[in-house]
Amino acid sequence: MAESEQTHFGFSQVQKSQKASLVANVFDSVAAKYDVMNDLMSMGVHRLWKRYTIDSSGVRAGHKVLDLAGGTGDLTAKFSRLVGPTGSVTLADINLSMLKVGRDKLRDKGLVENIDYVQADAEALPFPDNHFDVVTMAFGLRNVTEKQNALNSIYRVLKPGGRLLVLEFSKPQSEHLSKAYDLYSFHILPRMGQLVANDAQSYKYLAESIRMHPDQETLKEMFEQAGFEQCTYHNMTGGIVALHRGFKF
């Protein structure tokens, strides 16, 4: 097998053509318990990370927003209220199980008027050029096979003046925090996944996928390669998570 045909699935090497289906299996397995596990894994702090993302988005009434890899719709719910009846939010996810969980949750909240649901591959978005004011992607980019293709695709669908925000696990900034985080990720997290979701293996993959994701500076360079300008990132919780932002001009 040629090296160029391979990519990582966690710490394993697989054929690029296989990765999307392997990732799909993970999220099919965890979809029903995804929100519960998010609260447990982060001790609720993921809500603060997402709130900071929303506050940094500049979303306002009338905007068209794409919540890419939007999963169970936490960001979509907030954006729906911000854009109001004159705006729209598209919740897009490659995984149908996650999309269904998100749709059901948002409908239970009474959010139906300005939200669309689209099953979409981030590497080849099915939207017109220059269409969205803001694109967000929270905890999804690390699961994409060709991340640069996804950033290029997002750049295409953004309007001039639009912005991209990617919220993703990143590299802790201190050695002590990194060691503690490794202990938690590789020993506690899979056990938690087994107890709550009856699935240790998927959470083992999630921990490994975080370690294989580009660090803060590398991802910033990838933003710039896609054409984004004024690219910045903001570390949260000691760099365990970073919010990257870039603009299309």
Side-chain angles (χ1 to χ4, degrees), residues 1-2 5-7 13-20 22 145:
M1 188 188 303
E5 295 173 351
Q6 292 183 301
T7 189
Q13 286 290 307
V14 300
Q15 286 185 299
K16 287 182 178 180
S17 59
Q18 294 178 317
K19 181 169 179 175
L22 292 170
T145 304

Side-chain angles (χ1 to χ4, degrees), residues 35 70-74 76 91 93 95-112 115-118:
D35 285 339
T72 58
D74 285 349
T76 292
L91 172 55
D93 202 294
N95 186 271
L96 189 58
S97 298
M98 294 288 287
L99 202 60
K100 287 179 177 177
V101 171
R103 181 191 62 193
D104 291 346
K105 185 172 83 173
L106 294 174
R107 287 179 175 175
D108 286 347
K109 290 182 176 181
L111 299 171
V112 296
I115 302 174
D116 298 313
Y117 301 90
V118 178

Side-chain angles (χ1 to χ4, degrees), residues 132-169:
F132 294 102
D133 296 286
V134 175
V135 177
T136 58
M137 193 173 192
F139 306 114
L141 185 60
R142 73 180 188 282
N143 297 307
V144 175
T145 304
E146 299 286 359
K147 297 172 180 59
Q148 192 65 58
N149 289 350
L151 294 173
N152 295 344
S153 187
I154 293 167
Y155 186 86
R156 178 186 64 78
V157 303
L158 266 174
K159 294 178 181 178
R163 73 182 75 182
L164 166 65
L165 297 102
V166 172
L167 179 66
E168 189 55 90
F169 292 106

